[in-house]
């Protein structure tokens, strides 16, 4: 597990980039859900944590590809490939990301 | 419609073909491209691809799955030479022609050249990029005419390759007619901070044996000369078609030409009196133009977002909206001397544009909140 931040540090509507590799973007939706996906847009190098969060979708800040936070799948061009998704757990007010490749080496 | 010809196989043409399928059209699509290559993306041509860090494959707009699912009839390496609406034909440079019930004009344009600069490098196609890349060997001195986005990006890439670069700009500051004086100074600073010799207010007269001749009589020494002075829309082939052309193909608010079965998209489309030479515009126009083509009339209108970006040196510049250079500029975060800032343009109390240097997050927030998402408006009938 990788520690992202505390729940207090990530209010609804906000996102945070957890440096990698791989870099991960954690989102707290307005509806109160927490999601973690690969931070790098699958189209061209851009940080999805910088993107515009709307519902459970994030729009890439560079070329406006839209990704579904639940599946990592792009819903429109120019992105065509999914970004990885990760499970998120909250323990004693701290947000952790699970299943990150390479975490054993970290 | 049984068959639609898309003339132009770059981003706008490809997006149009994709939208035709996405909107349920299952007839034939002929995709005509003057270059011999399958469709590719152009933004990396002045950046990663020119530097040699982005592969040729990474430019491809369509993968094998796309090619199979779109079922396009490619005519590559041939130019459209005429549009004959009465016969419903597009005539091609190899002597053949394509019969089509509908036509999407997506011919873009070609790099503008300057008199006296015949033989200088330009950068619009992948072949242009390959030729320029081959010339950027260690030790060459590069002169770039024009400090717009292409000129600045090529200068940045050349500096990253360790080359000496001089940029010759006719304006008093780069991009000043678009961004206004304060942001033009920021663009100038990016050049200077990264060791590029930016000379503004300079009139060039032509290639000299040893570089670039200036109106002042002096010569700027250079081994490689690149002109980045905009583009000319490719409309010559439409002479005699009856379509109104002149700095682009004139369209209505829904990208429909004077013929309901002919629409125009991308750099070549002169929509509401002006053309928008941007990647995002080419991508965003396709759904509207295709919907109107399939409807047979202007059912939807297009609202340009005005979104452009440019990667120069250590800076990622982003602009959205349609500001005028004399709009009021306010710094929301940082200031013009910062390595990262966001500024808004306002006029009569309304936000007309958002600009950012290295601050994508706040840029997007303001872009969505202050400018709103472009809406596709139903056309007013009548």
């Amino acid at each position: 597990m990788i520690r992202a931040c505390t729940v207090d540090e990530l209010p609804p509507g906000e996102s945070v980039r957890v440096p990698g590799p791989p870099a991960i973007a954690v989102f707290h939706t307005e509806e109160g859900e927490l999601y973690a996906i690969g931070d790098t847009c699958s189209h061209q190098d851009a940080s999805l944590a910088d993107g515009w969060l709307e519902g459970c979708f994030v729009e890439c800040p560079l070329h406006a590809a839209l990704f579904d936070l639940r599946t990592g799948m792009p819903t429109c061009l120019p992105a065509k490939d999914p970004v990885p998704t990760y499970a998120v757990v909250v323990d004693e007010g701290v947000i952790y990301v699970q299943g990150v490749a390479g975490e054993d080496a970290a | 419609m049984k068959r639609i010809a898309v003339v132009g196989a770059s981003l706008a043409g490809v997006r149009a073909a994709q939208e035709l399928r996405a909107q349920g059209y299952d007839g034939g699509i002929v995709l005509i491209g003057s270059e011999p290559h399958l469709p590719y993306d152009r933004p990396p041509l002045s950046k990663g691809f020119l530097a040699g860090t982005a592969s040729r494959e990474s430019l491809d707009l369509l993968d094998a799955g796309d090619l199979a699912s779109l079922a396009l009839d490619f005519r590559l390496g041939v130019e459209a030479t005429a549009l004959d609406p009465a016969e419903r034909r597009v005539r091609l440079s190899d002597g053949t022609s394509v019969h089509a019930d509908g036509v999407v004009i997506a011919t873009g344009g070609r790099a503008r050249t300057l008199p006296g600069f015949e033989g200088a490098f330009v950068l619009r196609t992948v072949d242009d990029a390959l030729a320029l890349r081959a010339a950027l060997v260690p030790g060459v001195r590069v002169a770039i005419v024009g400090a717009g986005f292409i000129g600045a990006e090529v200068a940045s890439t050349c500096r990253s390759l360790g080359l000496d670069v001089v940029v010759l700009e006719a304006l008093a500051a780069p991009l000043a007619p678009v961004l206004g004086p304060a942001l033009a100074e920021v663009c100038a600073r990016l050049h200077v901070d990264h060791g590029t010799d930016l000379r503004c207010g300079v009139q060039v007269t032509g290639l000299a044996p040893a570089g670039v001749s200036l109106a002042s009589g002096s010569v700027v020494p250079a081994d490689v000369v690149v002109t980045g002075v905009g583009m000319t829309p490719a409309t010559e082939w439409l002479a005699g078609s009856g379509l109104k052309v002149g700095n682009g193909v004139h369209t209505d608010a829904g990208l429909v030409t004077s013929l309901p079965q002919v629409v125009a998209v991308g750099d070549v489309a002169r929509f509401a009196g002006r053309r928008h030479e941007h990647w995002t515009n080419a991508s965003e126009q396709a759904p509207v133009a295709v919907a109107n083509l399939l409807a047979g009339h202007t059912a939807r209108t297009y609202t340009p977002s005005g979104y452009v970006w440019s990667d120069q040196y250590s800076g990622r510049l982003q602009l959205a909206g349609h500001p005028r250079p004399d709009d009021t500029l306010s710094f929301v975060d940082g200031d013009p001397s910062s390595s990262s800032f966001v500024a808004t343009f306002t006029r009569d109390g309304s936000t007309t544009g958002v600009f950012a240097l290295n601050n994508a997050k706040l840029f997007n927030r303001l872009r969505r909140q202050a400018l709103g998402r472009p809406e596709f408006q139903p056309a007013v009938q009548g």
Side-chain angles (χ1 to χ4, degrees):
Chain A
M1 288 202 303
I2 288 179
R3 182 186 189 279
C5 60
T6 66
V7 174
D8 291 345
E9 288 167 336
L10 193 67
E14 290 294 330
S15 53
V16 64
R17 180 176 186 272
V18 184
I24 293 168
V26 183
F27 298 88
H28 192 177
T29 69
E30 295 287 356
E31 293 73 35
E33 302 284 340
L34 288 167
Y35 295 101
I37 63 173
D39 182 57
T40 306
C41 179
S42 62
H43 168 240
Q44 262 174 29
D45 189 12
S47 168
L48 294 176
D50 285 346
W52 176 246
L53 180 63
E54 205 159 7
C56 58
F57 294 89
V58 64
E59 183 188 68
C60 171
L62 196 52
H63 299 149
L66 204 62
F67 290 90
D68 187 331
L69 299 179
R70 298 164 297 188
T71 62
M73 293 298 292
T75 62
C76 72
L77 293 166
K80 292 189 283 193
D81 299 320
V83 292
T85 59
Y86 305 98
V88 179
V89 293
V90 177
D91 184 34
E92 295 188 351
V94 177
I95 300 169
Y96 296 92
V97 180
Q98 287 186 313
V100 181
E103 68 183 72
D104 292 340
Chain B
M1 284 197 246
K2 288 182 179 170
R3 188 194 265 172
I4 291 172
V6 179
V7 189
S10 191
L11 181 69
V14 166
R15 287 283 185 272
Q18 289 169 321
E19 277 298 322
L20 282 167
R21 294 302 185 216
Q23 295 185 26
Y25 173 75
D26 61 1
I29 301 175
V30 183
L31 189 58
I32 300 161
S34 59
E35 295 178 61
H37 312 290
L38 281 168
Y40 60 88
D41 209 15
R42 295 185 197 277
L45 295 182
S46 56
K47 312 179 192 87
F49 186 71
L50 187 61
T53 54
S55 71
R56 174 65 184 87
E57 298 74 51
S58 70
L59 304 182
D60 286 336
L61 283 171
L62 301 171
D63 61 24
D66 299 322
L67 293 171
S69 63
L70 292 171
L72 306 176
D73 176 3
F74 281 101
R75 307 291 167 89
L76 298 176
V78 290
E79 298 214 25
T81 54
L83 174 65
D84 184 344
E87 297 274 321
R88 299 199 165 222
R89 282 194 179 276
V90 177
R91 303 195 188 282
L92 304 179
S93 57
D94 62 359
T96 63
S97 67
V98 172
H99 185 270
D101 308 302
V103 175
V104 179
I105 297 172
T107 39
R110 53 186 67 87
R112 193 163 78 87
T113 52
L114 292 173
F117 282 88
E118 293 80 9
F121 289 94
V122 295
L123 185 49
R124 183 156 180 96
T125 68
V126 67
D127 292 329
D128 292 339
L130 287 169
L132 177 57
R133 190 161 93 182
L136 298 177
V137 296
V140 296
R141 298 162 302 173
V142 182
I144 298 164
V145 178
F149 281 173
I150 287 287
E153 290 177 2
V154 172
S156 167
T157 301
C158 289
R159 286 298 300 148
S160 76
L161 296 172
L163 304 175
D164 283 342
V165 181
V166 56
V167 174
L168 305 169
E169 169 59 55
L171 298 168
L175 295 161
V178 180
L179 298 177
L183 295 179
E185 276 309 308
V186 172
C187 294
R189 193 190 76 219
L190 285 173
H191 286 289
V192 175
D193 285 353
H194 292 83
T196 293
D197 181 0
L198 173 68
R199 303 187 196 174
C200 292
V202 173
Q203 297 296 325
V204 299
T205 57
L207 289 178
V212 178
S213 298
L214 306 182
S216 63
S218 60
V219 170
V220 175
D223 307 299
V224 173
V225 178
V226 185
T227 53
V229 291
M231 59 149 273
T232 306
T235 56
E236 301 85 350
W237 67 286
L238 295 168
S241 66
L243 294 186
K244 190 175 181 191
V245 297
N247 189 21
V249 179
H250 295 226
T251 74
D252 70 5
L255 302 158
V256 180
T257 70
S258 53
L259 297 169
Q261 73 275 24
V262 180
V263 298
V265 289
D267 287 4
V268 78
R270 183 168 170 184
F271 154 91
R274 60 174 288 202
R275 292 184 300 104
H276 301 261
E277 295 172 23
H278 307 308
W279 187 95
T280 305
N281 178 68
S283 188
E284 290 178 345
Q285 283 187 335
V288 178
V290 161
N292 293 335
L293 180 66
L294 295 176
H297 65 276
T298 302
R300 293 166 68 182
T301 60
Y302 173 65
T303 306
S305 66
Y307 173 62
V308 293
W309 81 93
S310 179
D311 290 341
Q312 304 172 18
Y313 307 103
S314 56
R316 171 163 288 167
L317 287 63
Q318 293 178 288
L319 172 69
H322 304 280
R324 292 190 238 162
D326 58 339
D327 287 350
T328 304
L329 188 70
S330 309
F331 285 81
V332 179
D333 180 60
D335 62 65
S337 65
S338 320
S339 58
S340 163
F341 66 77
V342 179
T344 58
F345 292 90
T346 55
R347 173 175 288 261
D348 301 330
S350 298
T351 303
T352 54
V354 181
F355 181 93
L357 175 67
N358 292 330
N359 193 336
K361 188 167 193 168
L362 186 54
F363 171 83
N364 279 288
R365 181 158 299 190
L366 289 174
R367 173 190 178 190
R368 290 305 182 209
Q369 290 174 341
L371 294 176
R373 186 184 289 272
E375 299 287 342
F376 297 123
Q377 306 289 346
V380 177
Q381 297 293 320

